[in-house]
C-alpha cells in the first residue's frame, strides 16, 4: 500500500416545536441542488420566481447546517417560509425536500410517503438523539442450531434489520420494527484452523444484501430482497474462499454497496484486500499496517480476547484503519493510496474506531478521543473517554463510547458540543461490539445478549 504523505503524530414531527415544511450525512456546502424542471408551475412574481425562492431556501438550510448543525436547518427553513404566501408555497415542493434530505441527512431513499415527511422524521430523530429520548429493549433469538458456547462478535444496521454475527459463523437478522429474530444465515465452511476460525469478522448490511466474512477468510453473500418476508433460513453463496496460509487471519471486514474491505493479520505485506462491491471481484491486495501484529493474528484462531485491528469505510471512497500503534486513511479507488499515516506513542484503543459518511472517531491510549474529517483530517471535536477498554460508534451527529461500565453520548457538530448524557441501562459484563446509525444504537455482550436503543419518533 503506497503512501502519498505521512504524519508523526462500518416519525414525523419535531418534538421541540419547530415547524418545518411551511408554516449523516451532515450538512455541507451547496452545489447539490437539483433545479426545478421547466414544466413546473412558476410564480407570477417576476422579482421572486418560485425556482429562485426554492434555491434560496435550499441554500439557507445548508448554510445553517454547516455553520451550526443539522438541526438548525429546520428553523432556518421556517424563517424563509414565513416571509409571504408565495415563499410559503415553496414548502410544498417535494423536490426541495428530496434535495434537503440528500444533502443534510444523507438520504437518497425515503421511508415515508413524501420527502417532506422524511425530512421531518429525520429532524425529530436527531432531536431525540440530542436529548436522550429513546425506547430500550433486549433482543432474543431462536435458539435452534445454537452451540452451547455461542457468543456475539459483530453487529450491523440497515433501515429495516439488525444483523448479529456470532462465533459459530452464523448471522442472525432481527426485524427492527417488531424486535423479532426473523432469519439466520449459515456459512459454507471449507476449512478449520483453531476453535474460532468460523467466527464472523464483519458484516455489510443493506436493504437488499447481506455480506459477511469469517476469521478464516471466507466471504459470503445473501440476498434479502426476495419477497416481503424473509425466510427463516436465508441461502448464502461463497464469493471468496479463505486462503489462511497465504493471507493470514481476516480480523475485520467492513464496507458499503460499492466497496468491501478486509483487514488481515498474519502474513507480511497482505494487510488489505479490497473488493469492488458491485462486481464482487478483488481490486487490490497489499499493505503493511498489520505486519507487527502478525503473530497476534495467528493467535486469534485460539483466543478472541482483544482486537488486532479495525477498518471502516466512509461514503467518500476512502477507508480508515488502525492497529494498537497506527491509524491510516487510504483511498479505495486508486489501489489503496495512503494519504494519512500516524503512529501513536501512547497507543490506540482499536475498538473505538468508527466512521460516518465523512468523518471518523478514534480514542488514543491516554483516553483522548478525536473526531476528524476523513478528506482533509480537520479535527472536528475532542473529548475524554478513559477506561481499560473503549468501544466507539458514531452517526451523522453523535459519538457513543463504552468505557467498561457505561455508554456515553457526545455531541460532535456544535462548537460548544461535549458530553450529552449516559445510557443508564445496566449491561452486565464486557461489551464486544457497538454500532449506531441515525436512529438506532445496538450493543452485544460476550454472551448472547443484544441490546437496542431506538431514538426514532414513535
Amino acid at each position: 500500500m503506497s503512501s502519498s504523505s505521512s504524519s508523526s503524530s462500518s416519525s414525523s414531527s419535531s418534538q421541540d416545536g419547530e415547524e418545518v415544511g411551511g408554516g449523516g450525512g451532515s450538512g455541507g456546502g451547496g452545489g447539490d441542488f437539483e433545479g426545478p424542471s421547466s414544466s413546473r408551475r412558476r410564480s407570477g412574481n417576476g422579482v421572486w420566481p418560485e425556482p429562485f425562492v426554492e434555491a434560496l431556501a435550499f441554500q439557507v438550510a445548508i448554510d445553517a447546517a454547516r455553520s451550526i448543525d443539522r438541526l438548525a436547518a429546520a428553523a432556518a427553513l421556517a424563517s424563509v417560509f414565513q416571509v409571504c404566501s408565495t415563499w410559503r408555497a415553496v414548502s410544498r415542493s417535494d423536490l426541495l425536500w428530496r434535495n434537503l434530505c440528500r444533502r443534510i441527512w444523507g438520504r437518497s431513499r425515503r421511508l415515508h410517503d413524501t420527502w417532506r415527511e422524511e425530512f421531518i422524521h429525520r429532524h425529530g430523530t436527531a432531536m431525540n438523539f440530542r436529548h436522550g429520548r429513546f425506547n430500550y429493549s433486549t433482543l432474543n433469538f431462536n435458539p435452534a442450531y445454537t452451540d452451547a458456547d455461542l457468543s456475539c462478535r459483530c453487529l450491523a444496521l440497515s433501515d429495516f434489520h439488525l444483523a448479529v454475527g456470532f462465533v459459530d459463523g452464523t448471522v442472525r437478522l432481527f426485524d427492527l420494527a417488531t424486535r423479532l429474530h426473523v432469519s439466520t444465515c449459515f456459512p459454507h465452511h471449507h476449512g478449520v484452523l483453531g476453535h474460532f476460525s468460523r467466527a464472523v469478522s464483519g458484516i455489510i448490511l443493506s436493504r437488499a444484501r447481506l455480506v459477511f466474512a469469517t476469521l478464516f477468510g471466507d466471504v459470503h453473500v445473501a440476498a434479502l430482497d426476495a419477497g416481503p418476508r424473509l425466510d427463516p433460513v436465508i441461502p448464502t453463496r461463497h464469493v471468496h474462499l479463505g486462503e489462511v496460509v497465504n493471507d493470514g487471519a481476516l480480523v475485520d471486514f467492513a464496507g458499503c454497496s460499492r466497496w468491501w474491505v478486509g483487514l488481515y493479520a498474519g502474513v507480511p505485506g497482505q494487510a488489505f484486500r479490497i473488493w469492488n462491491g458491485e462486481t464482487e471481484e478483488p481490486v487490490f491486495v497489499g499493505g503493511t499496517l498489520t505486519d507487527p501484529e502478525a503473530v497476534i493474528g495467528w493467535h486469534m484462531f485460539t483466543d478472541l480476547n482483544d482486537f488486532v485491528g479495525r477498518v471502516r469505510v466512509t461514503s467518500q471512497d476512502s477507508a480508515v484503519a488502525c492497529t494498537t500503534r497506527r491509524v491510516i486513511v487510504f483511498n479505495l479507488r486508486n489501489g489503496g493510496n495512503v494519504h494519512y499515516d500516524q503512529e501513536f506513542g501512547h497507543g490506540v484503543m482499536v475498538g473505538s474506531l468508527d466512521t460516518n459518511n465523512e468523518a471518523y472517531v478514534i480514542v488514543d491510549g491516554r483516553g483522548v478521543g478525536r473526531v476528524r474529517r476523513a478528506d482533509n483530517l480537520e479535527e472536528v471535536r475532542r473529548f475524554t473517554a478513559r477506561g481499560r477498554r473503549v468501544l466507539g460508534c458514531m452517526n451523522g451527529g453523535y459519538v457513543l463510547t463504552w468505557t467498561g461500565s457505561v455508554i456515553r453520548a457526545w455531541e460532535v457538530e456544535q462548537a460548544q458540543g461535549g458530553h450529552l448524557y449516559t445510557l443508564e441501562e445496566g449491561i452486565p459484563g464486557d461489551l464486544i461490539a457497538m454500532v449506531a446509525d441515525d436512529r438506532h444504537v445496538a450493543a452485544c455482550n460476550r454472551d448472547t445478549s443484544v441490546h437496542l436503543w431506538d431514538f426514532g419518533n414513535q
Side-chain angles (χ1 to χ4, degrees):
M1 183 169 287
S2 59
S3 176
S4 59
S5 62
S6 63
S7 172
S8 59
S9 331
S10 138
S11 303
S12 46
S13 60
S14 164
Q15 298 184 10
D16 275 26
E18 289 180 330
E19 184 176 3
V20 297
S26 59
D32 282 348
F33 180 76
E34 183 177 335
S37 68
S38 59
S39 61
R40 291 181 55 205
R41 181 177 62 85
R42 299 292 197 268
S43 169
N45 189 325
V47 179
W48 300 107
E50 181 180 324
F52 176 86
V53 176
E54 188 170 319
L56 175 65
F58 174 83
Q59 193 58 53
V60 167
I62 296 304
D63 289 345
R66 289 188 65 193
S67 60
I68 305 175
D69 61 23
R70 296 176 301 170
L71 290 172
L77 285 168
S79 298
V80 171
F81 297 152
Q82 290 171 4
V83 171
C84 65
S85 60
T86 300
W87 287 34
R88 187 158 54 248
V90 171
S91 68
R92 296 191 290 269
S93 167
D94 205 47
L95 182 62
L96 171 64
W97 296 111
R98 187 183 74 174
N99 288 332
L100 289 170
C101 283
R102 183 178 61 197
R103 190 61 174 150
I104 294 176
W105 303 112
R107 297 294 303 185
S108 58
R109 181 192 298 268
R110 59 179 169 83
L111 302 179
H112 296 78
D113 291 338
T114 67
W115 282 105
R116 177 180 177 275
E117 292 176 357
E118 186 73 24
F119 184 97
I120 292 173
H121 171 75
R122 297 292 159 186
H123 174 90
T125 300
M127 191 69 73
N128 290 342
F129 245 108
R130 171 168 294 174
H131 296 290
R133 297 190 288 253
F134 56 83
N135 288 326
Y136 168 78
S137 57
T138 57
L139 308 183
N140 301 304
F141 59 86
N142 188 335
Y145 312 107
T146 299
D147 292 338
D149 61 349
L150 187 67
S151 62
C152 170
R153 292 303 305 165
C154 54
L155 302 163
L157 281 164
S158 72
D159 288 331
F160 303 102
H161 298 102
L162 168 67
V164 186
F166 289 90
V167 73
D168 67 344
T170 60
V171 176
R172 289 169 168 82
L173 281 172
F174 292 86
D175 184 290
L176 290 172
T178 65
R179 309 288 196 269
L180 296 178
H181 170 215
V182 292
S183 298
T184 302
C185 295
F186 293 90
H188 301 278
H189 297 301
H190 84 281
V192 176
L193 180 65
H195 183 64
F196 297 113
S197 61
R198 298 179 177 181
V200 178
S201 296
I203 304 170
I204 304 168
L205 182 63
S206 66
R207 179 173 187 161
R209 185 173 63 173
L210 184 150
V211 187
F212 66 102
T214 65
L215 187 65
F216 193 83
D218 294 333
V219 179
H220 303 82
V221 173
L224 305 181
D225 58 348
R229 297 184 61 182
L230 297 178
D231 293 332
V233 175
I234 302 176
T236 61
R237 56 185 175 85
H238 238 142
V239 297
H240 181 76
L241 295 176
E243 299 180 3
V244 67
V245 175
N246 297 322
D247 298 333
L250 204 174
V251 297
D252 199 20
F253 180 75
C256 58
S257 60
R258 187 169 185 178
W259 304 105
W260 309 343
V261 184
L263 177 64
Y264 295 78
V267 177
Q270 301 287 314
F272 294 99
R273 185 181 297 268
I274 302 173
W275 286 265
N276 182 315
E278 297 172 353
T279 65
E280 302 178 358
E281 295 292 331
V283 296
F284 174 82
V285 178
T288 61
L289 176 67
T290 57
D291 284 5
E293 285 75 23
V295 174
I296 303 175
W298 291 115
H299 286 171
M300 291 283 286
F301 290 106
T302 57
D303 185 358
L304 286 176
N305 284 333
D306 213 342
F307 300 102
V308 175
R310 176 168 285 192
V311 62
R312 293 294 183 264
V313 172
T314 75
S315 64
Q316 301 173 333
D317 292 331
S318 65
V320 185
C322 74
T323 63
T324 57
R325 311 177 188 199
R326 291 169 62 196
V327 176
I328 67 171
V329 182
F330 58 99
N331 193 295
L332 297 171
R333 293 176 58 89
N334 58 2
N337 182 51
V338 175
H339 62 87
Y340 174 71
D341 188 341
Q342 180 179 9
E343 292 194 10
F344 286 77
H346 295 276
V348 172
M349 297 290 187
V350 174
S352 67
L353 175 66
D354 198 17
T355 60
N356 60 20
N357 287 340
E358 59 186 31
Y360 69 93
V361 60
I362 191 78
V363 178
D364 66 25
R366 297 173 299 176
V368 178
R370 292 178 174 86
V371 178
R372 294 182 181 272
R373 299 193 186 280
D375 57 350
N376 59 16
L377 307 178
E378 174 191 354
E379 185 173 306
V380 178
R381 176 71 55 243
R382 183 178 296 196
F383 59 92
T384 301
R386 294 190 178 93
R388 177 178 56 87
R389 292 180 69 242
V390 180
L391 293 184
C393 60
M394 71 186 305
N395 59 23
Y398 308 94
V399 167
L400 295 106
T401 59
W402 175 83
T403 55
S405 56
V406 296
I407 297 176
R408 293 183 172 88
W410 307 83
E411 164 74 61
V412 298
E413 287 189 287
Q414 288 193 342
Q416 299 81 20
H419 178 249
L420 295 174
Y421 52 84
T422 299
L423 300 180
E424 301 291 347
E425 289 69 26
I427 302 176
D430 286 350
L431 290 186
I432 291 297
M434 262 199 334
V435 66
D437 62 13
D438 283 342
R439 173 167 177 171
H440 297 96
V441 175
C444 65
N445 303 74
R446 290 188 182 276
D447 59 14
T448 58
S449 300
V450 181
H451 308 267
L452 183 70
W453 293 263
D454 183 354
F455 292 81
N457 279 340
Q458 306 300 319

